[in-house]
Amino acid sequence: MAIVLRYVDNRGVVKEIFNGVVHVNDASSLDLKATIDDVFTYNSLSLGQGYDGASNMRGAFNGLKALILQENYSAHYVHCFAHQLQLVIVGVAKKHDGVDNFFEQLSLVVNVVGGSRKRQDMLRESQRERVQLSIGNGELETGRGLNQESSLIRARDTRWGSHFKTITSLMNLFPEVHHVLAYVEEEGSSLSNRNQAFGILKYSKTLDFVFYLHLMYKILHFTDVLSKHLLKRDQDILEADGRIEVFERHGVC
C-alpha cells in the first residue's frame, strides 16, 4: 500500500510527500487500518483520510473510513473529487441506452482492432502511410513532437479520463480503424470475428454513432479539463469545490 501525506506548512502552503510503500497481508479494511495505525504511530502523526470510493474504503459500517472515525471523530474523510467525477460520468452514461450501446461498440472496436499483433501492425502501417501522404500534400505540418504514432486506448471505468482518450484516439485513427475492420470482415479467422467486424462497420455508418461520438467527445473534453484541475498538486479543497460548482452551473456535470 502506497502512503502519501498531505499537510499545510506554517506558511499556509499545501505540501504533499510520498511516505513510502508498506506491505499488507490483504486489502481488507481491518488490515489496512492496522497498517495505517502503525505508520502514523511510528511518525507521531494525527490522522486524516483521503482515498477513492471502493467499498473496503468508504463502507458505512466496516469500511476503513468507519473504523477510523470510531476512534478519531476529527479525522476528515475526503473522497477524491477527480475519481468521483469519473464515476459520475460513467454511471450517468450507462443509464442512457444509446450512450451505453455506444460505449459497448467502442469497446468492441478496441477488442477487434487490437485483437492480434497483425491487426495492430496494420493499424500502424496504415496510419504511417496516411501521414506520409498528408505531409506530401502539404496537409500536415512537420516538426518535433508532431505526427506521433498513436494507438487505440482501452477505456477503464476507474481510470481518470480513459473514456475521453479512447474517443479521441478513435477520431484520430478513424480511417485506419475502418481499414482494419474491413480486413477482418473479409479475412477474419472465424465467423464470429467476421460478424463482429461487419456489425461494427454497419453501426459506424449510422447517425446514432456520429451523434454520440461527437456528443461524448464534447462532454468528456469539458470534464477532462476539470479533472486535470482537480488533480493539481497545489489545488486546495475549497478551490476544487468552487470549480465543480462552476461546471454544474453550466450544466456540464
Side-chain angles (χ1 to χ4, degrees):
M1 176 172 61
I3 296 181
V4 177
L5 304 178
R6 173 176 282 187
Y7 63 94
V8 180
D9 67 14
N10 55 13
R11 293 177 298 174
V13 178
V14 177
K15 298 292 185 68
E16 192 173 87
I17 294 179
F18 173 66
N19 181 264
V21 177
V22 293
H23 175 73
V24 291
N25 293 322
D26 60 53
S28 70
S29 56
L30 287 173
D31 273 353
L32 292 176
K33 181 180 181 299
T35 303
I36 291 173
D37 283 344
D38 290 343
V39 170
F40 275 72
T41 299
Y42 178 80
N43 290 280
S44 301
L45 296 169
S46 58
L47 187 59
Q49 307 180 65
Y51 26 67
D52 64 27
S55 58
N56 63 335
M57 295 293 189
R58 62 170 173 78
F61 300 104
N62 296 315
L64 182 59
K65 168 190 174 182
L67 294 175
I68 291 175
L69 287 175
Q70 286 174 10
E71 298 179 2
N72 187 346
Y73 292 107
S74 63
H76 186 61
Y77 167 70
V78 180
H79 186 161
C80 174
F81 280 167
H83 189 254
Q84 281 183 300
L85 176 65
Q86 173 78 5
L87 295 179
V88 165
I89 295 297
V90 173
V92 171
K94 289 187 174 181
K95 293 295 183 181
H96 188 286
D97 291 342
V99 177
D100 189 34
N101 181 54
F102 168 75
F103 279 115
E104 284 183 4
Q105 293 292 328
L106 207 58
S107 178
L108 282 176
V109 169
V110 177
N111 290 336
V112 172
V113 174
S116 71
R117 176 62 61 183
K118 181 178 181 180
R119 296 175 198 171
Q120 294 171 20
D121 289 342
M122 286 179 62
L123 187 75
R124 284 194 292 268
E125 181 63 21
S126 182
Q127 182 196 17
R128 184 185 64 80
E129 292 175 356
R130 177 169 64 88
V131 169
Q132 286 183 338
L133 181 62
S134 297
I135 291 175
N137 293 335
E139 297 173 359
L140 286 178
E141 296 182 3
T142 58
R144 187 174 181 178
L146 297 178
N147 309 314
Q148 297 293 308
E149 181 182 284
S150 57
S151 60
L152 281 177
I153 298 172
R154 188 179 302 277
R156 303 287 187 186
D157 285 358
T158 56
R159 295 292 176 89
W160 299 328
S162 63
H163 290 72
F164 177 61
K165 292 177 182 177
T166 301
I167 290 176
T168 302
S169 64
L170 175 61
M171 294 177 76
N172 291 335
L173 294 169
F174 195 77
E176 289 75 28
V177 168
H178 257 241
H179 173 70
V180 175
L181 288 173
Y183 166 80
V184 176
E185 182 187 14
E186 294 294 328
E187 306 291 339
S189 58
S190 68
L191 179 61
S192 176
N193 284 154
R194 295 193 293 273
N195 285 341
Q196 268 191 333
F198 171 78
I200 295 169
L201 284 170
K202 184 177 180 181
Y203 176 72
S204 70
K205 298 174 184 177
T206 64
L207 176 62
D208 274 2
F209 170 77
V210 177
F211 174 75
Y212 288 125
L213 178 67
H214 288 274
L215 173 67
M216 294 312 300
Y217 175 83
K218 185 173 182 179
I219 292 173
L220 293 178
H221 172 70
F222 278 116
T223 56
D224 184 62
V225 172
L226 175 57
S227 180
K228 287 176 179 176
H229 277 294
L230 296 176
L231 289 170
K232 286 184 175 179
R233 292 175 63 88
D234 60 349
Q235 186 77 266
D236 65 70
I237 191 169
L238 293 178
E239 185 177 355
D241 194 46
R243 289 188 181 276
I244 291 174
E245 288 183 3
V246 170
F247 272 72
E248 286 176 340
R249 285 201 299 271
H250 286 81
V252 177
C253 60

Coordinates of all heavy atoms in Angstrom, one line a residue, residues 5 15 18 36 54 89 144 167 176 207:
L5 N 1.4 11.6 2.3 CA 1.0 12.6 3.4 C 0.8 14.0 2.7 O 1.7 14.5 2.1 CB 2.1 12.6 4.4 CG 2.4 11.3 5.1 CD1 3.5 11.5 6.1 CD2 1.2 10.7 5.7
K15 N 1.6 21.0 1.1 CA 2.7 20.1 0.7 C 2.2 18.7 0.6 O 1.3 18.3 1.3 CB 3.8 20.2 1.8 CG 4.4 21.5 1.9 CD 5.2 21.9 0.7 CE 6.0 23.3 0.9 NZ 7.0 23.2 1.9
F18 N 5.5 11.7 -0.5 CA 5.3 10.3 -0.6 C 6.1 9.7 0.6 O 7.3 9.8 0.7 CB 5.9 9.8 -1.9 CG 6.0 8.3 -2.0 CD1 4.8 7.5 -2.1 CD2 7.2 7.6 -2.1 CE1 4.9 6.1 -2.2 CE2 7.3 6.3 -2.2 CZ 6.1 5.5 -2.3
I36 N -2.0 1.4 8.6 CA -2.0 2.8 8.7 C -1.7 3.3 10.1 O -1.0 4.2 10.4 CB -3.3 3.4 8.2 CG1 -3.4 3.2 6.7 CG2 -3.4 4.9 8.5 CD1 -4.8 3.6 6.1
A54 N -13.9 2.9 -3.1 CA -14.1 1.5 -3.1 C -14.7 1.1 -1.7 O -14.6 1.7 -0.7 CB -12.7 0.8 -3.2
I89 N -19.7 10.4 -14.4 CA -19.8 10.4 -15.8 C -20.2 9.0 -16.4 O -21.1 8.8 -17.2 CB -18.6 10.9 -16.5 CG1 -18.3 12.4 -16.1 CG2 -18.6 10.8 -18.0 CD1 -19.4 13.3 -16.6
R144 N 9.1 18.8 -34.5 CA 9.3 18.0 -33.3 C 8.0 17.8 -32.5 O 7.3 18.8 -32.2 CB 10.4 18.7 -32.4 CG 10.8 17.8 -31.2 CD 11.9 18.5 -30.4 NE 12.3 17.7 -29.3 CZ 13.3 18.0 -28.5 NH1 14.0 19.1 -28.7 NH2 13.6 17.2 -27.5
I167 N -12.1 7.8 -27.1 CA -12.8 8.5 -28.1 C -11.9 9.4 -29.0 O -12.0 9.4 -30.2 CB -13.9 9.4 -27.5 CG1 -15.0 8.5 -26.9 CG2 -14.5 10.4 -28.6 CD1 -16.1 9.3 -26.2
E176 N -8.0 4.5 -40.4 CA -7.2 3.2 -40.2 C -8.0 2.1 -39.5 O -7.9 1.0 -39.8 CB -6.0 3.5 -39.3 CG -4.9 4.4 -40.0 CD -5.2 5.8 -40.1 OE1 -6.0 6.3 -39.3 OE2 -4.8 6.5 -41.0
L207 N -26.4 7.4 -38.0 CA -26.4 8.8 -37.4 C -26.2 8.7 -35.9 O -25.6 9.6 -35.3 CB -27.8 9.4 -37.6 CG -28.1 10.8 -37.0 CD1 -27.0 11.8 -37.5 CD2 -29.5 11.3 -37.3

